[in-house]
Structures are given as C-alpha cells and as structure tokens.
Amino acid sequence: MNERIYQDSNQNWFFHVRGNQIVGPFLSYELAENALSKHVSTCRQRSVGRFFWPRSLLPGRIFRETAARGS
C-alpha cells in the first residue's frame, strides 16, 4: 500500500500531495490510488517540459468565441 493514501475514522480515503495538501474523500482505496496516479502523471508531464497553451488561446475556445460573434 502507498503511504500517501490513508483512511480516516469515517472510512473515507484521502492522499497527500506536495505542500501538505489533502485530496479526497474517496469511497475506496482503489479510487484514491487511481486519482493519485492521475495527479502524479499530470505533474510529470508538466515537469518534462511539455508545452501547455494558455487557456485563453486554446483552439476550441477561440473557435467558440468566433462562432458566437458571427451569430
């Protein structure tokens, strides 16, 4: 079992992330573990140097705004 994932007295599952933040509650250990894996992979992608577009410049957002103006 992962030491970052723990269960409280109400049988809910949580995990710790950087900065001593707590994420949860989850109904099961497996759900907490999947969420932790997703969080770690997201952090890893950011640290590898993958470029992320600013939200305001995402193509879908630009096309929606242009379509709304044209209506």
Side-chain angles (χ1 to χ4, degrees):
M1 287 179 82
N2 192 320
E3 293 177 14
R4 293 173 83 179
I5 301 173
Y6 66 94
Q7 191 174 26
D8 70 354
S9 59
N10 295 328
Q11 308 304 316
N12 292 316
W13 292 91
F14 298 86
F15 64 86
H16 288 282
V17 294
R18 190 173 263 189
N20 204 22
Q21 296 178 359
I22 299 172
V23 179
F26 299 96
L27 297 176
S28 69
Y29 177 85
E30 289 77 21
L31 291 173
E33 186 176 40
N34 289 340
L36 177 59
S37 295
K38 185 175 180 179
H39 174 76
V40 169
S41 67
T42 300
C43 292
R44 184 174 292 136
Q45 285 177 350
R46 289 181 185 162
S47 68
V48 169
R50 182 175 163 210
F51 178 75
F52 287 94
W53 284 93
R55 218 172 235 209
S56 60
L57 297 177
L58 290 175
R61 182 176 223 123
I62 293 171
F63 293 134
R64 276 193 302 270
E65 290 174 4
T66 322
R69 290 181 195 154
S71 299

